[in-house]
């Protein structure tokens, strides 16, 4: 459960940072909509933007790349193609 709690804390921090950025970037919209509507819309937008962001943990070690071995080339055993005959 500790991992999920820390992940939700990091996610909430990301959402709060996005809210701060959006409120400073859109002051004109706040004047037109009003405080309550603006706060609700910014909060929804921040949640949507943060849903695709995965918080980076400090303990996580990068995964090793797998080495892909190439298979030996197949010998073409199919019948050879015939050249097209041009009628004159």
């Amino acid at each position: 459960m500790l991992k999920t709690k820390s992940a939700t804390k990091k996610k909430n921090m990301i959402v709060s940072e996005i809210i701060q950025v959006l409120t400073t970037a859109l002051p004109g919209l706040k004047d037109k909509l009003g405080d309550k509507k603006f706060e609700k819309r910014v909060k929804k937008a921040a949640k949507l933007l943060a849903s695709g962001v995965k918080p980076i943990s400090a303990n996580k070690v990068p995964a090793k790349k797998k080495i892909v071995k190439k298979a030996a080339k197949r010998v073409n055993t199919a019948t050879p193609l015939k050249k097209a005959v041009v009628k004159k």
Side-chain angles (χ1 to χ4, degrees), residues 10 12 20 22-23 25 29 33-34 38 53 55 57 62 79 82:
K10 289 179 183 179
N12 289 338
Q20 288 176 352
L22 288 176
T23 53
L29 189 61
L33 291 176
F38 180 76
V53 177
S57 63
T79 58
K82 296 179 182 178

Side-chain angles (χ1 to χ4, degrees), residues 1-85:
M1 299 227 31
L2 293 175
K3 289 183 180 179
T4 58
K5 286 184 180 180
S6 63
T8 56
K9 286 182 182 179
K10 289 179 183 179
K11 194 69 128 180
N12 289 338
M13 289 178 59
I14 292 171
V15 170
S16 64
E17 288 177 10
I18 293 173
I19 288 173
Q20 288 176 352
V21 171
L22 288 176
T23 53
T24 57
L26 304 169
L29 189 61
K30 188 174 185 176
D31 296 336
K32 290 180 183 178
L33 291 176
D35 289 336
K36 193 172 183 179
K37 284 186 180 180
F38 180 76
E39 292 298 324
K40 284 184 181 180
R41 291 184 186 189
V42 167
K43 192 173 183 179
K44 285 182 183 180
K47 283 183 182 178
L48 287 173
L49 289 171
S51 66
V53 177
K54 293 182 181 179
I56 300 170
S57 63
N59 300 347
K60 191 172 183 179
V61 178
K64 293 182 181 179
K65 293 183 180 181
K66 294 182 180 179
I67 299 172
V68 179
K69 295 182 180 178
K70 294 184 179 181
K73 290 185 180 181
R74 286 185 172 183
V75 178
N76 191 1
T77 58
T79 58
L81 298 175
K82 296 179 182 178
K83 291 187 179 180
V85 177

